[in-house]
């Protein structure tokens, strides 16, 4: 039986997010940013947010465990918030404490929907560095 996708937002600090990205890398999950990239670009003292949106089961790769595909709102070193995806194990997601009230969750989901995607941010910052 497939676990029910939680309809919530969880807040994590940069160290927790790096741990989640490392776990995703160990399992070869398809939606994740490289841990080294995150270390280089995330604001060290920031809070980041995860919003599960899809149950991901890879039937063609039965050795890969079921995961939640989460939209993530990341705060980078420039102070901007950018949008990415991260696949997270359900039991790992469930261990993240519920710390946000309903109004905060709604506001964060709205920010996720309007955030610049990681790729767009990377292209823009590369162009800015080159000019």
């Amino acid at each position: 039986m497939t676990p029910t996708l939680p309809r919530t937002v969880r807040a994590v600090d940069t160290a927790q997010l790096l741990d989640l990205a490392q776990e995703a890398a160990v399992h070869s999950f398809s939606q994740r940013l490289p841990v080294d990239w995150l270390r280089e670009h995330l604001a060290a003292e920031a809070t980041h947010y995860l919003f599960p949106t899809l149950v991901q089961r890879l039937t063609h790769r039965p050795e890969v465990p079921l995961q939640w595909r989460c939209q993530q709102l990341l705060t980078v070193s420039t102070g901007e918030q950018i949008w990415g995806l991260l696949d997270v194990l359900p039991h790992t997601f469930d261990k993240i404490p519920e710390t946000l009230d309903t109004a905060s969750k709604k506001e964060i989901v709205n920010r996720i929907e309007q955030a610049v995607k990681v790729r767009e941010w990377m292209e823009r910052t590369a162009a800015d560095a080159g000019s």
Side-chain angles (χ1 to χ4, degrees):
M1 183 170 112
T2 301
T4 304
L5 185 70
R7 301 307 296 164
T8 189
V9 176
R10 299 280 168 87
V12 295
D13 64 22
T14 297
Q16 290 171 300
L17 189 68
L18 292 171
D19 289 344
L20 292 169
Q22 183 62 45
E23 181 177 68
V26 166
H27 289 287
S28 300
F29 291 165
S30 59
Q31 292 300 320
R32 60 187 165 80
L33 292 165
V35 175
D36 289 341
W37 187 93
L38 291 168
R39 257 193 213 101
E40 180 181 345
H41 294 288
L42 291 181
E45 302 301 319
T47 300
H48 314 281
Y49 302 96
L50 300 171
F51 177 49
T53 55
L54 177 77
V55 175
Q56 178 73 356
R57 182 187 305 272
L58 304 178
T59 55
H60 65 288
R61 291 178 54 205
E63 75 282 3
V64 176
L66 177 133
Q67 63 238 232
W68 302 145
R69 172 134 319 146
C70 296
Q71 293 181 33
Q72 56 184 349
L73 186 63
L74 304 171
T75 302
V76 291
S77 56
T78 61
E80 296 169 272
Q81 290 188 310
I82 61 175
W83 179 92
L85 293 171
L86 178 63
D87 291 340
V88 179
L89 292 169
H91 72 272
T92 300
F93 185 86
D94 289 342
K95 290 178 188 175
I96 302 168
E98 186 79 61
T99 59
L100 302 167
D101 61 33
T102 302
S104 296
K105 291 176 188 178
K106 288 179 181 178
E107 190 266 331
I108 290 162
V109 169
N110 286 335
R111 289 189 349 231
I112 289 172
E113 291 171 352
Q114 305 203 8
V116 171
K117 291 182 174 81
V118 169
R119 185 185 72 245
E120 295 166 350
W121 181 81
M122 288 171 48
E123 290 169 357
R124 190 185 74 226
T125 54
D128 291 347
S131 53

